[in-house]
Amino acid sequence: MADLNKITCFEDFHRLARRRMPRMFYDYAASGSWTESTLRANEQDLQEWLFRQRVAVDIEHRSIRTRMLGEDVTMPVAIAPTGLTGMMHANGEMHGAMAAKKFGIPFTLSTMSICSIEDVAQHTQEPFWFQLYVMRDKTFMENLIRRAQRANCSALVVTLDLQVMGQRHRDIKNGLSAPPKPTLGNLLNLATKPHWCWQMAQTQKRTFRNIVGHAQGVTDVSSLAAWTAEQFDPRLNWDDVKRIKELWGGKLVLKGVMEPEDARMAAESGADALVVSNHGGRQLDGAPSSIKVLPDIVSAVGKDIEVWMDGGIRSGQDVLRAVALGAKGTLIGRSFLYSLGAAGEAGVTKCLQMLAKELDLTMAFCGHNDINKVDASILRRA
């Protein structure tokens, strides 16, 4: 068991997760598409924004509490939807949801999760958000929405930027598939991960449980790969968003917006929030970073719809940068996955504690007491 008292930053979790997780699943979490230039830009461009230190300001009573979708949250952070989470750590989605619940921030379950909607609902007994991919199989997709309604999910997050799948070289080289290919290299690598293997042996949740047994013709992992490969719908359009909103009937978030024109369409669709996101650099390589386009999108629609951001958030300082540039919330993906892979629920809790402390202290150094009153005046360009 890792000594979490010695974990002080994101990179500590990153190194530990890399040692503990099988290579194919670590690479799945870590990789971007093609040259990974957008993946790198997401982190690097955040560092172009420097903080203005202020002194002799009363900062005794501070608060980083805010609201996202009308829900009170401990800080402007939610856990992003991430596929294959239950392969980073056994029952990973359940661990992540519990850590988020106890800390007081939202957790988002992916369509491509290992634990199902019902698994997480039964385990947490609390509302969470559910992320929907638009599939060709509309009956399956509609049933997913109804299952999320029955599980009392409090928001639906529709991902718009996966109509086609970006190519991630590492996944191809590792033979990542469903089920994973038992190559000699993968088997040898698994032999070096006894703790992970022991954990996985203790659970029956080792496939995409939102899909297997629910999609027509998908009864086991052997039939899953072919179904998944042809299901992401390249015909997705704004009429589909309208139909999903009507069917869902609750809070709706649109994820994957990178241009003001699309942001205006998102606002006009009646969605409650949008996420400025390039899918963590996993789709269109060569696209700008999320933080680079955030100000333009806030300027275009920030008065009409909640604007959030994901991509490159590795610290509480990154959260503050995004909030200062107009984001009403942020989502964390890799920060969550690495802390989960390193130490399970306790690791995720530690990660959230670190983010909150960094956010609070940095806000204080900038002379602010209330996260809801922070603006771009705390920043300068490098």
Side-chain angles (χ1 to χ4, degrees), residues 260-281:
E261 295 90 335
D262 289 333
R264 282 188 280 268
M265 294 294 290
E268 292 169 5
S269 76
D272 299 278
L274 66 83
V275 186
V276 177
S277 171
N278 52 40
H279 217 102

Side-chain angles (χ1 to χ4, degrees), residues 194-212:
H195 182 68
W196 183 92
C197 293
W198 180 84
Q199 287 179 330
M200 295 305 298
Q202 309 305 307
T203 181
Q204 297 299 312
K205 301 173 181 66
R206 295 190 291 268
T207 188
F208 295 108
R209 287 167 63 89
N210 281 328
I211 300 173
V212 173

Side-chain angles (χ1 to χ4, degrees), residues 110-154:
S110 171
T111 291
M112 304 305 292
S113 60
I114 301 301
C115 299
S116 68
I117 298 170
E118 294 79 10
D119 292 331
V120 175
Q122 182 178 12
H123 189 68
T124 62
Q125 300 293 310
E126 290 284 342
F128 54 93
W129 298 349
F130 180 68
Q131 175 267 340
L132 180 74
Y133 283 123
V134 179
M135 305 285 196
R136 289 180 183 271
D137 186 339
K138 301 307 180 190
T139 299
F140 169 75
M141 191 179 72
E142 290 171 6
N143 285 337
L144 263 181
I145 293 173
R146 294 189 183 96
R147 289 166 60 195
Q149 290 169 331
R150 289 194 295 270
N152 199 30
C153 292
S154 56

Side-chain angles (χ1 to χ4, degrees), residues 138-327:
K138 301 307 180 190
T139 299
F140 169 75
M141 191 179 72
E142 290 171 6
N143 285 337
L144 263 181
I145 293 173
R146 294 189 183 96
R147 289 166 60 195
Q149 290 169 331
R150 289 194 295 270
N152 199 30
C153 292
S154 56
L156 186 71
V157 180
V158 179
T159 295
L160 299 177
D161 61 350
L162 199 75
Q163 293 171 270
V164 293
M165 181 80 76
Q167 179 171 310
R168 301 148 201 170
H169 298 333
R170 286 190 257 183
D171 290 348
I172 295 173
K173 291 174 180 177
N174 287 331
L176 184 69
S177 60
K181 295 177 182 177
T183 64
L184 178 60
N186 287 338
L187 292 174
L188 290 173
N189 183 251
L190 284 175
T192 69
K193 315 294 180 185
H195 182 68
W196 183 92
C197 293
W198 180 84
Q199 287 179 330
M200 295 305 298
Q202 309 305 307
T203 181
Q204 297 299 312
K205 301 173 181 66
R206 295 190 291 268
T207 188
F208 295 108
R209 287 167 63 89
N210 281 328
I211 300 173
V212 173
H214 296 281
Q216 185 175 5
V218 182
T219 56
D220 54 32
V221 291
S222 63
S223 55
L224 176 63
W227 184 89
T228 302
E230 63 185 22
Q231 277 303 312
F232 296 114
D233 193 348
R235 301 165 299 180
L236 168 63
N237 58 65
W238 290 106
D239 287 336
D240 292 317
V241 173
K242 181 180 178 181
R243 285 192 291 270
I244 290 169
K245 177 177 171 56
E246 291 173 352
L247 182 60
W248 171 244
K251 297 288 187 180
L252 183 69
V253 181
L254 301 180
K255 181 174 180 288
V257 176
M258 289 290 289
E259 291 293 333
E261 295 90 335
D262 289 333
R264 282 188 280 268
M265 294 294 290
E268 292 169 5
S269 76
D272 299 278
L274 66 83
V275 186
V276 177
S277 171
N278 52 40
H279 217 102
R282 294 165 64 78
Q283 286 294 90
L284 176 60
D285 192 39
S289 65
S290 297
I291 197 69
K292 189 79 77 176
V293 303
L294 174 64
D296 287 343
I297 291 178
V298 170
S299 177
V301 300
K303 295 180 180 179
D304 304 316
I305 188 173
E306 285 187 36
V307 177
W308 305 341
M309 192 202 87
D310 82 354
I313 301 289
R314 304 290 184 262
S315 68
Q317 291 197 324
D318 292 338
V319 173
L320 188 60
R321 290 179 172 105
V323 171
L325 292 175

Side-chain angles (χ1 to χ4, degrees), residues 10-11 13-14 17 21 25-33 36 38-40 42-43 78-82 88 168 170 277-283 310-315 331-342 348 351 355:
F10 165 78
E11 278 303 319
F13 276 127
H14 188 183
M21 291 162 56
F25 297 122
Y26 167 79
D27 280 352
Y28 173 81
S31 64
S33 62
E36 300 188 341
T38 299
L39 167 65
R40 293 188 296 273
N42 276 344
E43 291 189 55
I79 292 180
T82 53
M88 312 298 160
R168 301 148 201 170
R170 286 190 257 183
S277 171
N278 52 40
H279 217 102
R282 294 165 64 78
Q283 286 294 90
D310 82 354
I313 301 289
R314 304 290 184 262
S315 68
L331 276 66
I332 56 169
R334 290 182 177 91
S335 299
F336 158 61
L337 289 178
Y338 294 152
S339 60
L340 175 73
V348 179
C351 173
L355 288 174

